[in-house]
Amino acid sequence: MSQPPLSRRRLLLGGGATLAGGGLAGAAAGLALSGNDSPAVSQVVEEAKGSENVAFYGVHQPGIEDAAQAHVRFLALDLKPGSDVEHVRRLLRLLTDDAARMMRGEVPLAANDPELPALPSRLTVTFGFGPGLFDAIGRPDDCPDVIRNLPTFATDQLEDRWSGGDLLIQVCSDDAVPLSYALRRLTRDARSLATVRWCQSGFNPARGSEPAGTTHRNLFGQRDGTANPPGATTEFTDTVFSTGPDWLKGGSMLVFRRIRMDLDDWDDLGRPAKEMAMARKMSDGSPVTGGSEQDDPDTAAVDQNGFPIVAQEAHVVQATARVPEERMLRRAFSYDDGPSADGKPDCGLLFAAYQADAAKAFVAVQTRLAEADAMNEWITHIGSATFVVPPGCAEGEFIGQALVG
Amino acid sequence: MSQPPLSRRRLLLGGGATLAGGGLAGAAAGLALSGNDSPAVSQVVEEAKGSENVAFYGVHQPGIEDAAQAHVRFLALDLKPGSDVEHVRRLLRLLTDDAARMMRGEVPLAANDPELPALPSRLTVTFGFGPGLFDAIGRPDDCPDVIRNLPTFATDQLEDRWSGGDLLIQVCSDDAVPLSYALRRLTRDARSLATVRWCQSGFNPARGSEPAGTTHRNLFGQRDGTANPPGATTEFTDTVFSTGPDWLKGGSMLVFRRIRMDLDDWDDLGRPAKEMAMARKMSDGSPVTGGSEQDDPDTAAVDQNGFPIVAQEAHVVQATARVPEERMLRRAFSYDDGPSADGKPDCGLLFAAYQADAAKAFVAVQTRLAEADAMNEWITHIGSATFVVPPGCAEGEFIGQALVG
């Protein structure tokens, strides 16, 4: 586990603070406080985090660059039969306005009860366009082929109930309460023009459960997302954001996959087998050949008998980008829809990959994984949906305006 | 909103702390730090909260006195046909051991992957016994009549799929990840002896979203739980815990209700109507007749025309205990199972009331509410389950041992 990043601010009111680690004792011993001698303040005030918010307007949509929140709902809508460009424009204008307001901690236009959205807890709303939306607006040819015709993979066992959709709304927050409110109001404002195709809920570790910046664990116990490009870098921009056509510049492509995990079998597998399947250690995500979490496994390393330590089928070997165009931002969440009547788990991963061009990134990588990923023994892709993610917009505009007009 | 309680501890490493409020500036200005002059430590280290845990062993079961966590799953199991006292004993012994280990942040016996439960985030596991368990162990007459035969109320629209159960497992955590793991392992260890009747997921605002000690808001936007007895008081003990028979001493009774909210209509209702239905203000939960959140509405107050300000049908008037035996601990969570295909919300409250005697508390209060609660216009009870909650146990014992033997 990496060192706690020093990015959050707190107020210490007295000398009673518990030390976070022995190595800090020397620094902390020098703390002194004047001006208040009440015993009640010999502790630390926790700054309430609910009011933190993310800007809606900008070059890119929110909910991509932002560190993945603790909660997500992916909502896929289908436009009602007969929808045309005017309907879509009206829908997007309305939902854009709703999203901008609620991300600021405000109610949608004409709504009551300012308390409900007041603590957005880093609420983000992100829109994606499926093939059906391009058809409805009379621009079917503008839908990239990979979004309309994602290849099928040999290991797929896709179910309609988790797949497809004309319009995706990804809503994230560190707090399930404002998330519930935002999704509900967006759905309400959409329902005269669209129906709900599916809604999938996911989660990551709670905000503050581990130090900020720690890579999340998925339900297998693996650190998930280690290979993501660092935020606010050229590498991130090149990986995630499209350079054109004009209406897509600064946008992205989202491949969403519902990946079921066979947790019963995984639980019972020995640790060495788990680590060899991944080529990373369960404890801290570091390569089985040594190093730290951010290092790649050394595929040339051999054991004392001269045999390779890292199997070619290890997940990380197959999943790692071999050319820059294969890189993706994996912004995944776990799901757990509760046990079946016979007590079997219904758990897995809501895999959401943002990339500049899904044909060159997701398709290339998933083709390899479908053929030779050791993890295929314990995972099954059961849902799939692909969306064009338009760029962000300025105040007064709406998401997709350059396309929908 | 009340003042932030000073119960959390943090470590301040430098002079760059943001002030939580202007009134604290004087105190904070005196902060000084010696022993470290790296610019990186001019901020505050956030103590990771995941490692916080709650003691399993004790006079009472966990998950009752503890401030309601951010997440819950209520899992109701049915014993398999033919179960007898020996099966029940084996089940409870196993689940008790699992619960105690996972609440400490450890894996269940013989399980792998210490990372998964390592950050319990105040994980609690609480067991409740339904009538079927008393029958299986051959002690049907020990099941209190109110647990076996909760009266029906005129406003009930109960559905089997949300009701009943032989054994309840309430699992709570501030983090959905350890909660998922704990519930999954408990279910797995139970499934040779029991089947899943239902599983219901709920949430409250995230830990840290508002200052600790703030009364949660439900999805109506109301502060919910204002009337709860203060923790660690005689009032709390008298309200919640049974004084006998011996096997139940220190235990409780749990009435669980799934209460659907009609949020579409509620959203559109004007603020004055909402506040009159409750007799409390939406903003801060204070009575419409003035005062602060903890005050009761003044039912004798009249307006300028001499009419009563508080309606007799106001929820708080009907729900408030009229004798001490009517008091309950309301430990409620919101639910949101996502929109239906036509975009209608499926939201409400998982109402969990702990009390010494449900016949004198829940039944008395709900009888009044079913007759005359103004909130009945927007709520419907659609699920109901009642459980005896045995007392806690000591290490080496199991939950229910005094009953099951």
Side-chain angles (χ1 to χ4, degrees):
Chain A
M1 191 153 64
S2 54
Q3 284 296 102
L6 302 169
S7 61
R8 295 287 309 143
R9 297 172 177 221
R10 290 290 177 277
L11 175 63
L12 179 71
L13 284 182
T18 299
L19 303 184
L24 301 170
L31 285 170
L33 179 68
S34 67
N36 199 325
D37 47 12
S38 154
V41 295
S42 286
Q43 292 196 0
V44 173
V45 172
E46 186 172 2
E47 181 189 325
K49 298 199 204 75
S51 55
E52 285 183 75
N53 64 356
V54 174
F56 176 78
Y57 297 108
V59 175
H60 311 298
Q61 286 197 62
I64 304 171
E65 295 162 289
D66 312 291
Q69 292 92 331
H71 301 282
V72 70
R73 295 216 171 183
F74 293 96
L75 176 75
L77 300 174
D78 281 340
L79 298 166
K80 291 193 172 176
S83 295
D84 62 19
V85 66
E86 182 48 45
H87 294 113
V88 172
R89 189 181 299 129
R90 197 177 349 138
L91 181 62
L92 292 174
R93 192 183 291 281
L94 184 58
L95 297 182
T96 295
D97 186 63
D98 286 350
R101 288 173 190 266
M102 291 192 287
M103 282 180 51
R104 283 199 301 264
E106 299 167 10
V107 292
L109 198 62
N112 276 315
D113 303 330
E115 299 82 11
L116 280 165
L119 299 169
S121 300
R122 301 200 302 135
L123 178 76
T124 57
V125 180
T126 316
F127 300 97
F129 296 172
L133 188 142
F134 289 85
D135 297 343
I137 63 171
R139 296 181 64 165
D141 295 342
D142 282 312
C143 180
D145 183 60
V146 66
I147 298 299
R148 191 180 290 277
N149 299 307
L150 191 78
T152 54
F153 303 94
T155 46
D156 285 356
Q157 294 186 24
L158 304 183
E159 301 176 30
D160 275 351
R161 63 180 173 144
W162 307 124
S163 300
D166 296 340
L167 176 65
L168 177 84
I169 310 181
Q170 172 194 277
V171 187
C172 303
S173 174
D174 287 324
D175 188 329
V177 175
L179 193 163
S180 169
Y181 180 76
L183 189 89
R184 187 164 65 75
R185 296 302 309 215
L186 290 161
T187 307
R188 183 173 177 171
D189 277 346
R191 72 191 183 203
S192 66
L193 297 165
T195 53
V196 172
R197 188 181 179 99
W198 49 258
C199 182
Q200 303 187 44
S201 294
F203 53 90
N204 276 315
R207 175 78 182 274
S209 179
E210 293 193 85
T214 306
T215 309
H216 293 151
R217 286 190 193 277
N218 61 31
L219 297 185
F220 281 142
Q222 301 158 336
R223 298 255 180 234
D224 196 316
T226 296
N228 277 339
T233 59
T234 306
E235 183 191 346
F236 189 98
T237 303
D238 292 348
T239 299
V240 174
F241 297 118
S242 177
T243 52
D246 272 356
W247 62 267
L248 182 52
K249 200 169 170 180
S252 186
M253 293 190 195
L254 169 61
V255 178
F256 172 87
R257 306 282 284 189
R258 185 180 179 92
I259 305 176
R260 194 180 61 210
M261 294 175 165
D262 182 351
L263 288 174
D264 277 354
D265 283 358
W266 179 261
D267 276 348
D268 295 344
L269 191 68
R271 298 273 283 188
K274 286 176 183 171
E275 297 185 338
M276 293 321 293
M278 200 61 187
R280 291 193 177 276
K281 292 183 190 157
M282 294 290 288
S283 56
D284 59 3
S286 66
V288 291
T289 49
S292 66
E293 187 195 339
Q294 298 305 320
D295 294 325
D296 288 330
D298 176 5
T299 51
V302 293
D303 66 14
Q304 57 205 21
N305 299 315
F307 293 112
I309 295 175
V310 176
Q312 264 306 305
E313 298 75 20
H315 178 78
V316 167
V317 175
Q318 297 294 328
T320 299
R322 297 185 180 176
V323 293
E325 292 72 21
E326 286 185 8
R327 294 174 304 189
M328 295 175 255
L329 172 70
R330 293 165 173 88
R331 204 171 187 278
F333 298 81
S334 297
Y335 75 84
D336 178 351
D337 282 5
S340 62
D342 60 357
K344 298 288 175 66
D346 181 7
C347 294
L349 194 72
L350 304 180
F351 175 89
Y354 287 91
Q355 59 231 289
D357 184 346
K360 294 181 179 157
F362 178 82
V363 172
V365 172
Q366 186 58 26
T367 299
R368 279 202 300 275
L369 291 173
E371 273 175 26
D373 180 8
M375 291 299 299
N376 287 339
E377 180 113 8
W378 303 279
I379 61 171
T380 311
H381 288 229
I382 61 171
S384 181
T386 44
F387 303 95
V388 171
V389 178
C393 69
E395 197 155 359
E397 299 177 347
F398 62 89
I399 296 294
Q401 185 162 337
L403 177 72
V404 179
Chain B
M1 193 152 62
S2 54
Q3 283 297 102
L6 303 168
S7 61
R8 295 285 311 139
R9 298 174 175 218
R10 290 289 179 278
L11 174 63
L12 180 71
L13 284 182
T18 299
L19 303 184
L24 300 169
L31 284 171
L33 178 69
S34 69
N36 198 324
D37 48 14
S38 155
V41 293
S42 285
Q43 290 197 358
V44 173
V45 173
E46 185 172 2
E47 182 190 323
K49 297 198 206 80
S51 56
E52 286 185 74
N53 64 355
V54 174
F56 177 77
Y57 297 109
V59 175
H60 311 298
Q61 287 196 64
I64 304 171
E65 295 162 288
D66 312 292
Q69 291 92 330
H71 300 283
V72 70
R73 294 215 171 184
F74 293 95
L75 176 74
L77 300 174
D78 281 339
L79 298 165
K80 290 194 173 175
S83 295
D84 62 18
V85 66
E86 182 47 46
H87 293 111
V88 172
R89 189 182 299 128
R90 197 177 349 138
L91 182 62
L92 292 174
R93 191 183 292 281
L94 183 58
L95 297 182
T96 295
D97 186 62
D98 286 350
R101 288 174 191 265
M102 291 192 287
M103 281 180 52
R104 282 200 301 266
E106 300 168 9
V107 292
L109 198 63
N112 277 316
D113 303 330
E115 299 82 11
L116 279 165
L119 298 169
S121 300
R122 300 201 303 135
L123 178 74
T124 57
V125 180
T126 316
F127 299 97
F129 296 173
L133 187 143
F134 288 87
D135 297 344
I137 63 171
R139 295 181 66 165
D141 295 343
D142 282 312
C143 181
D145 183 61
V146 67
I147 298 300
R148 191 179 291 277
N149 300 304
L150 190 78
T152 54
F153 302 95
T155 46
D156 286 355
Q157 294 186 25
L158 304 183
E159 302 176 30
D160 275 351
R161 63 180 172 143
W162 307 123
S163 301
D166 296 340
L167 176 64
L168 178 84
I169 310 181
Q170 172 194 277
V171 187
C172 303
S173 173
D174 286 325
D175 188 329
V177 175
L179 193 164
S180 169
Y181 179 76
L183 190 89
R184 188 165 65 75
R185 297 301 310 213
L186 290 161
T187 307
R188 182 172 178 173
D189 277 346
R191 71 192 182 202
S192 66
L193 296 165
T195 54
V196 172
R197 188 180 178 101
W198 49 257
C199 182
Q200 303 187 44
S201 294
F203 53 90
N204 276 316
R207 174 78 180 274
S209 179
E210 293 193 83
T214 306
T215 309
H216 294 151
R217 285 190 194 277
N218 61 31
L219 298 184
F220 280 143
Q222 301 157 336
R223 297 256 180 232
D224 195 316
T226 296
N228 278 339
T233 59
T234 306
E235 183 190 346
F236 189 97
T237 303
D238 292 348
T239 298
V240 174
F241 297 118
S242 176
T243 52
D246 272 357
W247 62 267
L248 184 51
K249 201 171 168 177
S252 187
M253 293 189 194
L254 169 60
V255 177
F256 172 86
R257 308 281 283 189
R258 185 179 178 93
I259 304 176
R260 193 180 64 210
M261 293 175 166
D262 181 350
L263 287 174
D264 277 354
D265 282 358
W266 179 261
D267 276 348
D268 295 343
L269 191 68
R271 298 274 282 188
K274 287 176 182 169
E275 297 186 337
M276 294 320 294
M278 200 62 185
R280 291 192 178 277
K281 291 182 189 159
M282 292 291 288
S283 56
D284 59 3
S286 65
V288 291
T289 48
S292 66
E293 187 195 340
Q294 297 305 320
D295 294 325
D296 289 329
D298 176 4
T299 51
V302 293
D303 67 14
Q304 58 206 19
N305 299 315
F307 292 112
I309 295 174
V310 177
Q312 263 307 303
E313 297 75 20
H315 178 78
V316 167
V317 174
Q318 297 294 327
T320 299
R322 297 185 181 176
V323 293
E325 291 73 22
E326 287 185 6
R327 293 175 305 190
M328 295 176 256
L329 172 70
R330 293 167 173 87
R331 204 169 186 281
F333 297 81
S334 296
Y335 76 83
D336 179 350
D337 281 5
S340 61
D342 60 357
K344 297 288 176 68
D346 181 6
C347 294
L349 194 72
L350 304 180
F351 175 89
Y354 287 92
Q355 59 230 290
D357 184 345
K360 294 179 179 160
F362 178 81
V363 172
V365 171
Q366 186 58 26
T367 300
R368 279 203 300 274
L369 291 173
E371 274 176 25
D373 180 7
M375 290 299 298
N376 287 339
E377 180 115 9
W378 304 279
I379 62 172
T380 311
H381 289 232
I382 60 171
S384 181
T386 45
F387 303 95
V388 171
V389 178
C393 69
E395 198 155 359
E397 299 176 347
F398 62 88
I399 296 293
Q401 186 162 337
L403 178 72
V404 179

